Amino acid sequence: MIRYHNRVNGKRGYMKTCFKHMIGLLFLVCWSHILGCTSSPIEQIVIKGSTTMAPVLERLAVDYQRPGQQHIIIEPTGSVAGIRALIRKDCNMAASSVLAPTELLREAEESGVFLNAFPVCRDRLVPIVNTANPVHRLSIMDLKNIFSGQTANWQSSGWTDSEIKIVLRQTSSGTCRMWEQMILENAAPSPVHVLVSSNSGVLAAVVENRYAIGYVSNAYLNHEVKPVQVTVNGSSTHLERTLFLYVDTRRMSGTVKAFLTYLHSGPARQIIADSGFVPMKQLK
């Protein structure tokens, strides 16, 4: 019994020793994992700005990002709001459908931010009316008179004696600013209008009112509204613009640079074209 008892105690001591060694080994492994063997944190890119660009940027992000490596967040806040967020360092890039206005360039300079615009693609602004509206073409001057409020009745365009319902975008929108530059030549818009916050909002407002007129990005056109041909001196023309991604060159990380490079790749150009825009690579 005594010998048997000693053998058991010896065996137990041996097992205790092995157990201590295992605990120590596990501790060393875990500690080395914490110090040097952990996986790299997921790189994140936050893009704020243009509601026009948001859908195509979402598609590009899905194609570009890799699980566990990059995570791209798109926040459609409006072009001007996006650039302001970049100046405040609240995002890595700002999507804008208009060149940064003078007041934002001044604000960036005062904040020590160096804004740089990278062209992503080309787009067209298209005036739209309700499908019940027989008007199919308007000149630049016609549009200026309508959107400034000088022309307030559809009868002047050869239709019915009914008030024109103007649908406008908010001033934080790059699309709004481009329209005012191209059509109103920075004159004040009509004080009588419906104000919406996105291309989709314009579409919905025009669908709901047979006397409405608005404007959207060509990428948003659908069969529920009717595009209006724009003319200059009797000849058809297009209201084209470039869409940009703005960065602060002082804070441009390698991750941001890699994403900008990807935008000129074959897969990215195909996604841009499929989304209704014109890739920069295709421009002459």
Side-chain angles (χ1 to χ4, degrees), residues 54-210:
V56 67
L57 287 174
E58 290 281 4
R59 297 186 189 105
L60 290 166
V62 169
D63 182 68
Y64 176 77
Q65 62 192 1
R66 297 292 178 267
Q69 295 180 21
Q70 306 98 10
H71 183 47
I72 302 175
I73 300 171
I74 312 298
E75 296 185 19
T77 58
S79 296
V80 174
I83 296 174
R84 279 211 166 94
L86 181 64
I87 294 171
R88 294 194 305 265
K89 301 178 176 59
D90 290 339
C91 60
N92 304 101
M93 287 188 276
S96 180
S97 56
V98 65
L99 284 170
T102 303
E103 67 268 22
L104 287 185
L105 293 176
R106 190 181 305 114
E107 187 178 322
E109 185 178 358
E110 291 172 355
S111 301
V113 172
F114 288 80
L115 293 178
N116 197 358
F118 287 83
V120 176
C121 57
R122 294 281 288 175
D123 182 31
R124 288 178 182 172
L125 293 183
V126 183
I128 59 171
V129 294
N130 189 278
T131 53
N133 191 328
V135 175
H136 65 277
R137 57 190 292 166
L138 291 168
S139 68
I140 292 287
M141 186 54 66
D142 291 333
L143 291 169
K144 181 176 182 179
N145 289 338
I146 289 173
F147 281 88
S148 65
Q150 295 182 53
T151 299
N153 196 295
W154 279 114
Q155 197 168 32
S156 62
S157 299
W159 191 26
T160 182
D161 181 11
S162 298
E163 181 184 356
I164 299 174
K165 302 296 182 182
I166 300 171
V167 182
L168 298 180
R169 294 287 302 277
Q170 294 174 327
T171 55
S172 61
S173 158
T175 299
C176 169
R177 296 202 174 209
M178 282 303 302
W179 183 262
E180 291 181 353
Q181 290 174 22
M182 293 175 172
I183 301 301
L184 294 178
E185 297 176 335
N186 295 313
S190 170
V192 181
H193 59 259
V194 175
L195 194 65
V196 298
S197 60
S198 65
N199 285 277
S200 299
V202 177
L203 290 170
V206 172
V207 168
E208 292 172 2
N209 193 314
R210 63 185 290 139

Side-chain angles (χ1 to χ4, degrees), residues 15-79:
M15 290 178 68
K16 285 182 180 180
T17 303
C18 289
F19 182 76
K20 288 180 181 179
H21 282 240
M22 289 175 65
I23 292 296
L25 182 60
L26 284 172
F27 177 81
L28 289 174
V29 169
C30 291
W31 184 247
S32 64
H33 182 73
I34 292 171
L35 290 178
C37 300
T38 54
S39 57
S40 300
I42 297 176
E43 297 175 286
Q44 181 172 283
I45 301 175
V46 177
I47 305 175
K48 297 185 179 183
S50 171
T51 58
T52 296
M53 297 174 67
V56 67
L57 287 174
E58 290 281 4
R59 297 186 189 105
L60 290 166
V62 169
D63 182 68
Y64 176 77
Q65 62 192 1
R66 297 292 178 267
Q69 295 180 21
Q70 306 98 10
H71 183 47
I72 302 175
I73 300 171
I74 312 298
E75 296 185 19
T77 58
S79 296

